[in-house]
Amino acid sequence: MLIAANKAVSIDYTLTNDAGEVIDSSAGGAPLVYLQGAGNIIPGLEKALEGQAVGAELKVCVEPEDAYGEYAAELVSTLSRSMFEGVDELEVGMQFHASAPDGQMQIVTIRDLDGDDVTVDGNHPLAGQRLTFDVKIVAIRDASEEEIAHGHVHGEGGHHH
Ligand SMILES: [Zn+2]
């Protein structure tokens, strides 16, 4: 069986940036299980895995436009401290969930604090970065109709609901 749309795929992976720092890894834990063709993983990685078989080991280099997007300066804005009512102490690097104008949830990170001004950055923490994935394909199975309808994998490593 090869990886194609509507297959549930288990992978072991290590994600590093251009500086060689490990950003994320399944090492020491369970493999990542995702539904191919459903946008569960970044587009560049999904594309590279299409057609691969169990046991294959790949090094996949993904440019920002096929990962978390280019860094967008317009997503940086300055807010008043009063917007953060209920937060005891604001610190640079803190992250908050916020809803974007299009209704999508996004993570904003505090970049700077200056008096009443709080500079926040709505870029994904990995925006603008080229990412390298070392991937080993552990398992491939047909997804169930329910999983396909939901757009994600159920059971071990997947959604429980
Ligand atoms: Zn579901």
Side-chain angles (χ1 to χ4, degrees):
M1 185 180 285
L2 300 178
I3 296 177
N6 299 332
K7 303 290 184 199
V9 182
S10 304
I11 56 172
D12 279 328
Y13 72 97
T14 296
L15 167 60
T16 48
N17 62 15
D18 270 357
E21 296 161 341
V22 174
I23 296 167
D24 195 12
S25 176
S26 65
L32 171 74
V33 188
Y34 77 95
L35 180 62
Q36 178 77 3
N40 293 172
I41 59 175
I42 60 169
L45 183 58
E46 190 168 64
K47 213 183 303 170
L49 292 174
E50 180 83 18
Q52 297 290 335
V54 169
E57 293 185 47
L58 301 82
K59 189 185 265 296
V60 182
C61 209
V62 184
E63 297 296 329
E65 67 262 32
D66 287 322
Y68 294 98
E70 298 290 352
Y71 190 85
E74 64 268 25
L75 293 180
V76 178
S77 53
T78 302
L79 306 173
S80 156
R81 261 181 200 271
S82 63
M83 301 276 294
F84 296 88
E85 219 171 288
V87 182
D88 284 343
E89 210 170 328
L90 295 176
E91 282 175 40
V92 171
M94 277 177 113
Q95 295 187 322
F96 296 87
H97 287 273
S99 45
D102 63 3
Q104 285 264 359
M105 286 301 286
Q106 63 173 179
I107 295 174
V108 299
T109 307
I110 294 182
R111 289 283 174 234
D112 193 35
L113 295 167
D114 182 16
D116 187 51
D117 290 343
V118 180
T119 304
V120 296
D121 185 346
N123 284 285
H124 188 281
L126 296 177
Q129 294 204 41
R130 184 167 56 175
L131 304 175
T132 300
F133 292 86
D134 283 290
V135 182
K136 182 172 184 191
I137 296 151
V138 177
I140 306 170
R141 66 170 170 83
D142 287 315
S144 70
E145 276 178 36
E146 191 185 42
E147 287 172 322
I148 293 166
H150 287 197
H152 56 227
V153 170
H154 295 155
E156 202 165 332
H159 285 243
H160 296 273
H161 62 110

